[in-house]
Amino acid sequence: MTEFRESPSQTAGPYVHIGCMPGVAGIQGMYGDTDPGSEMVQTVCADPVISLEVGVLDGAGAPVCDAMIEIWQAGPEGSFGVTRGFCNWGRAATDAATGVATFETLRPGAIGSQAPHILVWIVARGINLGLMTRIYFDDAPETNARDEVFKIAGDRAGTLVARSVSGGFRHTIRLQGPDETVFFDV
Amino acid sequence: MTDIPFRRRDPDWHPPALAPDYRSSRLRSPHHKLLHYAPTETEMTGPAFGQDMPGPEDHDLLINFAQPGETALGPRIIVHGRLLDENGRALPGKLIEIWQANAGGRYRHRSDGYLAPLDPNFGGCGRCITDAEGKYLFRSVQPGPYPWPNGGNDWRPAHIHFSVFGDGFAQRLITQMYFEGDPHIALCPIVQSIPSEAAIDRLVARFDPGATVPMDIRAYRFDIVLRGRQATVFENRREGL
Ligand SMILES: [Fe+2]
């Protein structure tokens, strides 16, 4: 059965935008000029839109300006079923100057006994296997504390918590260093 | 079905986060071990893309950026194969996205300043959805090797980047496809970050004369495998025979 082992990963490299977000790469006229995953919320959506800003820093504290971040999350009702006007998957590039990716999304509801959270996947030049992490929300500390995955992060769980800001949440992912974000092998 | 977790990844099979000869990995590699938990509904589900998502030319890099009646410059190739999971099951209806340099080794990207010229008829991206048997097919030009800043005289082997979706977000994978016989494969710090020759070999596409179209286009075969669900005891016995 060895021939059916998973294909090994390789870095997405610095030009990931070409294939996944051609508009960001500056390539016009591809894919109807709409990058996949760039529109999570359509106008028909009833729930309030939040802005989720995710910054990525390297081990020297410098912004990672060529990353692609994908998120996968429940809708406001706490499921992955169809929410009218909402796509549970989003994809954004970190900004070429600031290293911050912005998602316009809906706040996820709790899924069963799990606290509201967003699954995050980061690829970039220098990242050999996409990094998986989660985002929780700072205004639900009690719910977070009961969440089984949050508990596994132990005394580093704070690195998973996004901070409330006007209009949404702000989160920083540190790839390396004293406050290194918790990454998961799931 | 969705409550049967995926098999855990083998950390010795994939490249380690820190591969010092690949300089960019030095400051972008976590030092802590990845923490494991039993996957939940969040990790076992993922986005689905319909057969109608790609346009009719999205898989054809020869023409999907070209002026009407023109095609991209370079050796014409088909790249095709199957998308499977670790249990050997086909994964139908899955999105595969690719990107690559042109035949001269130049990317159409604001950050690429290599002196090889852009091809006005080549964008360098394509996508398709796997068919009912997990098969996919792209047409393109063979990309050129290109130099890259890594502290020395480093050249990437000719390669095509692949982004692949499965059923669950935990299967998400990005990798690269290389071409059989390329001498740069053995010299590239990115390729050689993969610990074993057996694993590297899985990323090397084979020339496929049977799929070559006479007087038209040559073909390469590249199969992709995503994580599979852990087999039940019953499935194990049946498939082990
Ligand atoms: Fe590349």
Side-chain angles (χ1 to χ4, degrees), chain A residues 101-186:
Chain A
T102 304
F103 298 88
E104 302 292 325
T105 185
L106 303 180
R107 188 161 178 174
I111 308 165
S113 61
Q114 295 196 73
H117 64 275
I118 291 176
L119 188 60
V120 180
W121 189 67
I122 305 153
V123 293
R125 168 177 66 86
I127 296 176
N128 288 324
L129 175 65
L131 294 169
M132 197 76 86
T133 183
R134 279 186 171 199
I135 292 176
Y136 293 83
F137 300 94
D138 70 345
D139 56 359
E142 293 87 9
T143 327
N144 292 344
R146 288 194 299 272
D147 181 278
E148 292 301 326
V149 176
F150 193 83
K151 280 193 237 173
I152 282 165
D155 59 4
R156 299 172 58 215
T159 67
L160 303 177
V161 180
R163 184 165 48 87
S164 305
V165 294
S166 166
F169 290 87
R170 172 80 206 241
H171 186 59
T172 302
I173 291 170
R174 294 178 173 83
L175 299 179
Q176 204 183 79
D179 298 319
E180 183 179 301
T181 297
V182 169
F183 298 104
F184 295 108
D185 151 45
V186 185

Side-chain angles (χ1 to χ4, degrees), chain B residues 89-109:
Chain B
R89 294 189 177 86
L91 293 173
K94 301 294 178 279
L95 176 64
I96 300 181
E97 299 162 296
I98 65 168
W99 65 103
Q100 62 166 91
N102 69 22
R106 172 78 181 270
Y107 281 101
R108 185 172 288 280
H109 191 282

Side-chain angles (χ1 to χ4, degrees), chain A residues 11-15, chain B residues 99-101 107 146 156-157 159-161 176 190:
Chain A
T11 178
Y15 307 124
Chain B
W99 65 103
Q100 62 166 91
Y107 281 101
Y146 59 84
R156 294 301 327 280
H159 63 277
I160 299 176
H161 297 264
Q176 301 182 30
I190 291 177

Side-chain angles (χ1 to χ4, degrees), chain A residues 5-6 10 70 176 180, chain B residues 10 13 26 31 172 178:
Chain A
R5 286 182 84 168
E6 186 186 14
Q10 290 273 263
E70 289 184 358
Q176 204 183 79
E180 183 179 301
Chain B
D10 178 356
W13 179 252
R26 293 181 192 173
H31 288 177
R172 195 77 179 83
Y178 304 100

